[in-house]
């Protein structure tokens, strides 16, 4: 039975052009295993037979993976046959990753015509560094304030929707894409492999990273949490042009090797195919709602998509008068920086209290944060708020208030004016749509519940509010809001008196 296994292996070796080395390889078996250790199981475990075993179809080889990801960067020629491929990248350079739909006809029909979410990560390959990943990344953040480990080159990318980069996870980006359409994402890796070596004397070997992609589909609640596919590849990152020099060096070393030695190494491929792997364990990050400071184009539409239920009120935006005070503690200052979109500088100002930040001059802030963010931060610190184009005050009228007003008018007392509570509405666009949204937000209802807005004119007529009418409102005009049930549906008309 053992010889029946051995003969096909020998035939395959002959077909691969290694016939001249086959006898020599067998003759060294006894020397490799040592005296008295010769057994067929040991022979089949040798590297020369491992390659043949790896070509045998495993149980799940017939399974076609739903997606394939191809990194457009050459693999190293200095990788042995049975080792994982290694790809060299230049720091900060944009590299294309093609997102390919690999499904058979009829496979995963539930994602036809729908988007999927892919999460990209750059993580450590070495197990030792994986255990201390959080500390390693925090150290990198401290040494490189304001920088990210992984970025998407959005202008060069094709087919990606809603790309996001969480400021608290420097090594992670995500986006939505349609498998039926051409999708290519260009990524940039800004850390280099030697930044995480134990000792830095120069000339040391850098640590390898992994690029991992996890893809998810929507569940019944519209959240992208159902795992579809994961794949990864091994990379090393060098300073600009360093990857090209390393690739050239490896190629020249391989050219100097004998033909027999070259057979032990993989050829260099023009692209790198990411191989299937287990999904990344941090599933808590796969969330449809953005984290604090998360750059999301969806968050600005929460008002228009709001729920009209009184028990489900939309969360109000941060107050306009969110000024930093001298008494603010360092912890509160960190929260203030997050609320005002300065999350990338929280590490720089870790121990700064409100008083410390307010003492910084304009030149200090620009030197620390750069011109664009520096001017923005300085204006925020000094509380320089942009004045709205128009401010009006509104008060909601009720039946009880009407009766009180009638009684007060008869008695001619001034107490009536004290019973009304007015709310300020700040308008920037001076449009009827904006006014509708602001009134809906003020009273915690959906804008769809407001059918029309009228202004009460002479003799009590109702004049439909238009953009031009709003543009002619007087500054700080006061209105009482009255409601009238619409005839056709459950919406209401608003009347400004």
């Amino acid at each position: 039975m053992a010889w029946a296994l051995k003969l096909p292996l020998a035939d395959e070796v002959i077909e691969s052009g290694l016939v001249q080395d086959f006898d020599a390889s067998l003759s060294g078996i006894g020397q490799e295993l040592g005296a008295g250790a010769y057994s067929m199981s040991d022979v089949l475990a040798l590297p020369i037979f491992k390659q043949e075993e790896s070509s045998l179809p495993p149980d799940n080889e017939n399974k076609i993976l739903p997606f394939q990801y191809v990194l457009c960067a050459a693999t190293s020629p200095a990788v042995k046959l049975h080792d994982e491929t290694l790809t060299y990248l230049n720091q900060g350079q944009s590299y294309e990753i093609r997102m390919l739909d690999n499904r058979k006809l009829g496979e995963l029909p539930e994602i036809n015509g729908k988007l999927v979410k892919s999460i990209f990560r750059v993580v450590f390959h070495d197990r030792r560094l994986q255990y201390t990943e959080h500390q390693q990344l925090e150290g990198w953040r401290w040494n490189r304030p304001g920088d990210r480990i992984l970025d998407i080159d959005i202008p060069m990318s094709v087919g990606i929707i809603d790309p996001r980069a969480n400021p608290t996870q420097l090594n992670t980006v995500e986006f939505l894409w349609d498998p039926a359409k051409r999708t290519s994402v260009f990524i940039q890796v800004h850390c280099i492999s030697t930044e995480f070596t134990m000792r830095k004397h120069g000339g040391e070997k850098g640590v390898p990273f992994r690029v991992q992609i996890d893809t998810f589909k929507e569940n019944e609640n519209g959240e992208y949490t159902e795992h579809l596919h994961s794949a990864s590849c091994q990379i090393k990152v060098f300073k600009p042009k360093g990857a090209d020099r390393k690739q050239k060096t490896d190629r020249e070393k391989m050219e100097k090797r004998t033909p027999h030695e070259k057979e032990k190494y993989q050829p260099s491929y023009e692209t790198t195919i990411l191989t299937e792997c287990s999904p990344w364990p941090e599933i808590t990050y796969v969330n449809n709602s953005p984290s604090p400071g998360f750059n999301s184009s969806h968050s600005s539409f929460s008002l228009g998509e709001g729920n009209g239920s009184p028990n489900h009120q939309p969360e109000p935006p941060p107050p306009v008068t969110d000024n930093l005070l001298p008494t603010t503690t360092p912890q509160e200052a960190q929260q203030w920086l997050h609320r005002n979109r300065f999350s990338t500088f929280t590490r720089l100002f870790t121990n700064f209290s409100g008083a410390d930040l307010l003492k910084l001059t304009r030149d200090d802030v620009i030197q620390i944060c750069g011109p664009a963010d520096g001017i923005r931060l300085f204006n925020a610190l000094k509380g320089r708020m942009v004045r709205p184009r128009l401010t009006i005050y509104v008060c909601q009228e009720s039946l009880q208030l009407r009766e009180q007003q009638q009684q007060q008018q008869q008695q001619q007392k001034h107490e009536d004016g004290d019973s009304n509570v007015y709310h300020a509405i700040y308008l920037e666009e001076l449009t009827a749509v904006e006014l509708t949204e602001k009134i809906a937000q003020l009273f915690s209802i959906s804008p769809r519940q407001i059918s029309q807005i009228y202004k009460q004119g002479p003799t009590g007529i109702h004049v439909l509010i238009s953009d031009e009418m709003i543009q002619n409102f007087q500054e700080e005009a006061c209105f009482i809001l009255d409601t009238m049930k619409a005839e056709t549906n459950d919406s209401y008309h608003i009347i400004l008196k």
Side-chain angles (χ1 to χ4, degrees):
M1 193 68 183
W3 286 107
L5 285 173
K6 183 176 179 183
L7 287 174
L9 293 173
D11 290 340
E12 291 175 11
V13 172
I14 292 171
E15 290 175 2
S16 63
L18 302 181
V19 65
Q20 66 272 19
D21 299 316
F22 185 71
D23 293 336
S25 300
L26 288 179
S27 65
I29 289 175
Q31 297 175 0
E32 284 196 52
L33 298 176
Y38 190 118
S39 70
M40 186 52 64
S41 60
D42 292 329
V43 171
L44 294 176
L46 289 176
I48 187 172
F49 293 101
K50 282 186 178 179
Q51 183 184 7
E52 310 303 334
E53 288 179 357
S54 65
S55 67
L56 295 175
D59 294 338
N60 61 348
E61 178 158 329
N62 293 329
K63 174 191 171 187
I64 305 275
L65 300 177
F67 304 110
Q68 189 175 61
Y69 316 122
V70 181
L71 171 62
C72 296
T75 61
S76 168
V79 177
K80 292 191 174 180
L81 280 175
H82 306 295
D83 293 342
E84 184 182 9
T85 60
L86 175 61
T87 305
Y88 302 136
L89 304 183
N90 287 317
Q91 178 189 26
Q93 182 173 326
S94 296
Y95 289 91
E96 180 185 10
I97 296 183
R98 297 171 185 165
M99 314 290 288
L100 305 177
D101 186 358
N102 205 29
R103 291 176 295 157
K104 289 181 178 179
L105 185 64
E107 185 182 2
L108 292 174
E110 64 271 21
I111 66 173
N112 290 340
K114 294 186 178 180
L115 302 177
V116 296
K117 173 187 280 187
S118 286
I119 301 178
F120 281 49
R121 291 180 176 87
V122 172
V123 295
F124 291 112
H125 175 76
D126 292 345
R127 185 79 62 183
R128 175 183 57 83
L129 290 172
Q130 289 176 8
Y131 291 138
T132 60
E133 179 177 292
H134 179 72
Q135 293 87 338
Q136 296 285 344
L137 297 185
E138 283 299 305
W140 190 89
R141 186 201 300 265
W142 175 259
N143 293 323
R144 301 272 297 275
D147 288 349
R148 290 188 55 81
I149 288 178
L150 180 63
D151 266 327
I152 296 178
D153 189 341
I154 295 177
M156 294 187 67
S157 300
V158 177
I160 67 172
I161 301 169
D162 190 23
R164 300 183 181 188
N166 191 329
T168 63
Q169 300 202 16
L170 305 182
N171 62 328
T172 305
V173 294
E174 67 176 49
F175 59 88
L176 305 177
W177 59 288
D178 186 347
K181 297 180 180 178
R182 180 198 163 198
T183 304
S184 285
V185 57
F186 283 77
I187 64 167
Q188 299 170 339
V189 183
H190 298 289
C191 62
I192 58 176
S193 294
T194 52
E195 288 183 277
F196 299 98
T197 51
M198 294 294 292
R199 192 67 265 153
K200 299 178 176 64
H201 291 302
E204 64 278 345
K205 294 178 66 175
V207 301
F209 302 122
R210 301 198 68 80
V211 173
Q212 175 152 342
I213 304 175
D214 300 293
T215 299
F216 301 84
K217 66 177 180 179
E218 270 186 307
N219 61 12
E220 296 176 352
N221 299 322
E223 298 175 340
Y224 291 91
T225 55
E226 293 194 22
H227 179 257
L228 288 173
H229 179 237
S230 294
S232 65
C233 69
Q234 185 181 192
I235 63 169
K236 277 191 177 182
V237 186
F238 296 80
K239 290 183 178 180
K241 297 186 179 180
D244 307 294
R245 290 192 293 268
K246 177 62 174 170
Q247 188 81 355
K248 181 181 178 182
T249 302
D250 284 359
R251 190 168 56 249
E252 290 173 348
K253 285 182 179 178
M254 291 306 301
E255 289 173 354
K256 295 177 182 178
R257 294 183 181 273
T258 65
H260 177 66
E261 291 176 327
K262 288 180 182 179
E263 291 165 358
K264 301 176 183 178
Y265 291 85
Q266 302 179 21
S268 175
Y269 300 99
E270 292 184 0
T271 58
T272 305
I273 297 178
L274 279 67
T275 55
E276 188 181 22
C277 64
S278 301
W280 191 255
E282 293 182 4
I283 301 300
T284 53
Y285 177 68
V286 184
N287 198 317
N288 204 33
S289 60
S291 306
F294 212 120
N295 300 325
S296 169
S297 60
H298 291 326
S299 59
S300 60
F301 300 110
S302 59
L303 178 61
E305 302 290 337
N307 191 328
S309 170
N311 298 325
H312 183 79
Q313 299 182 1
E315 184 179 349
V320 177
T321 57
D322 186 17
N323 293 332
L324 197 68
L325 302 175
T327 55
T328 302
T329 65
Q331 291 77 15
E332 293 169 340
Q334 292 285 298
Q335 297 172 4
W336 181 87
L337 289 169
H338 277 294
R339 287 197 304 272
N340 289 272
R341 295 177 291 117
F342 297 107
S343 303
T344 53
F345 303 108
T346 51
R347 168 65 68 177
L348 272 174
F349 299 117
T350 299
N351 298 316
F352 279 63
S353 64
D356 296 329
L357 288 170
L358 291 169
K359 289 176 184 176
L360 295 174
T361 66
R362 185 174 184 273
D363 291 339
D364 292 337
V365 179
I366 290 176
Q367 185 175 1
I368 294 171
C369 304
D373 286 318
I375 293 173
R376 193 167 64 87
L377 177 57
F378 180 76
N379 289 338
L381 289 171
K382 302 308 176 185
R384 297 182 178 180
M385 308 305 295
V386 179
R387 291 183 61 83
R389 294 177 64 187
L390 177 67
T391 302
I392 62 174
Y393 303 107
V394 297
C395 171
Q396 189 173 22
E397 186 179 31
S398 64
L399 286 174
Q400 182 180 4
L401 181 58
R402 291 179 190 173
E403 295 172 358
Q404 289 177 356
Q405 286 176 338
Q406 291 174 357
Q407 294 175 2
Q408 298 290 351
Q409 287 174 358
Q410 293 174 358
Q411 298 175 1
Q412 294 184 350
K413 293 184 178 180
H414 297 288
E415 299 170 1
D416 174 57
D418 296 334
S419 64
N420 297 344
V421 178
Y422 284 83
H423 301 272
I425 290 182
Y426 303 103
L427 300 175
E428 292 289 346
E429 301 173 5
L430 304 185
T431 63
V433 173
E434 183 187 22
L435 180 60
T436 301
E437 292 180 345
K438 291 296 179 72
I439 292 176
Q441 183 182 22
L442 183 63
F443 296 106
S444 302
I445 62 174
S446 168
R448 291 189 293 271
Q449 292 182 268
I450 300 177
S451 178
Q452 298 287 355
I453 301 181
Y454 300 97
K455 184 177 184 297
Q456 183 170 291
T459 69
I461 64 173
H462 294 164
V463 183
L464 183 65
I465 290 284
S466 64
D467 296 349
E468 187 176 2
M469 182 183 290
I470 294 175
Q471 292 163 11
N472 285 281
F473 277 178
Q474 290 185 355
E475 177 71 12
E476 296 189 334
C478 298
F479 299 98
I480 292 178
L481 299 185
D482 193 10
T483 59
M484 183 173 62
K485 189 79 167 62
E487 301 82 6
T488 56
N489 51 32
D490 295 334
S491 60
Y492 294 87
H493 300 307
I494 303 292
I495 304 168
L496 302 182
K497 295 182 178 180

